[in-house]
Amino acid sequence: MKVLAKEIVNSRRVVSRLYHNKAQMNSVSMMLTEQLATVRSVGHITKSTEVLKAMNGLIKHQQVTDTMRDMSKEMMKSGLIEEMLADALDDGMEDIEAETDEEVNKILAELAGEHMANMPAAETHTLAAPKVAETARQEAEDSELNNLQARLDAIRQEAS
């Protein structure tokens, strides 16, 4: 029995060593996998560096810088021109609005004159007012109506 007990103890030691060796082998395997991934990453970075160097060689930095500077100047000129055009249009619109208002007023005056000319005279009743005052008022109205008619005729002749 003693011999059998020694054999069981030895077997347990061997099993323990096997588990320990298996763990070391897994550790070495993971380290090799990590190193392989690192080598691949270095290779990819090296290729990317080569591509960037080639692109850098194709791009002429001075030409790009000059082009960007010219583009910036043109954009500033465009902004100034746009601002000047907006100011000019605003001034022109004010002039046009003033002329339009003037023409509208002329047309309204013309229409008011025509309307007044076509209206029948208002009926008036005298209440004991002296005839002199009524005659003076009638003459003033006739004079004003004649002035308006003359202005209307002048406007029509200018329009013709």
Side-chain angles (χ1 to χ4, degrees), residues 46-117:
T46 303
K47 286 181 183 178
S48 295
T49 304
E50 290 172 6
V51 168
L52 288 174
K53 282 181 182 177
M55 287 179 63
N56 235 0
L58 293 174
I59 296 175
K60 297 177 175 119
H61 292 288
Q62 187 60 37
Q63 185 180 6
V64 171
T65 303
D66 292 343
T67 302
M68 292 302 289
R69 188 177 303 117
D70 291 344
M71 185 175 173
S72 175
K73 287 179 185 177
E74 291 299 321
M75 288 175 70
M76 278 198 289
K77 285 180 189 176
S78 173
L80 290 174
I81 290 171
E82 182 179 342
E83 191 175 311
M84 287 171 40
L85 281 174
D87 290 345
L89 287 176
D90 288 344
D91 291 344
M93 291 303 284
E94 289 174 4
D95 293 342
I96 290 173
E97 287 176 9
E99 290 174 8
T100 303
D101 288 343
E102 187 177 316
E103 288 296 319
V104 166
N105 288 337
K106 285 181 184 178
I107 290 171
L108 289 175
E110 180 180 326
L111 291 175
E114 287 178 5
H115 186 63
M116 290 298 289

Side-chain angles (χ1 to χ4, degrees), residues 18-33:
L18 285 174
Y19 282 134
H20 182 69
N21 286 339
K22 182 179 178 184
Q24 283 181 341
M25 294 294 278
N26 283 339
S27 176
V28 169
S29 174
M30 283 194 267
M31 283 184 200
L32 288 174
T33 304

Side-chain angles (χ1 to χ4, degrees), residues 122-137:
E123 292 183 20
T124 56
H125 297 285
T126 54
L127 293 174
K131 292 255 180 190
V132 176
E134 184 178 318
T135 306
R137 186 177 54 82

Side-chain angles (χ1 to χ4, degrees), residues 141-158:
E141 286 178 3
D142 288 344
S143 173
E144 186 177 341
L145 185 59
N146 288 337
N147 286 338
L148 287 174
Q149 189 64 38
R151 288 174 51 194
L152 177 62
D153 290 340
I155 290 173
R156 285 183 183 162
Q157 287 177 356
E158 286 178 18

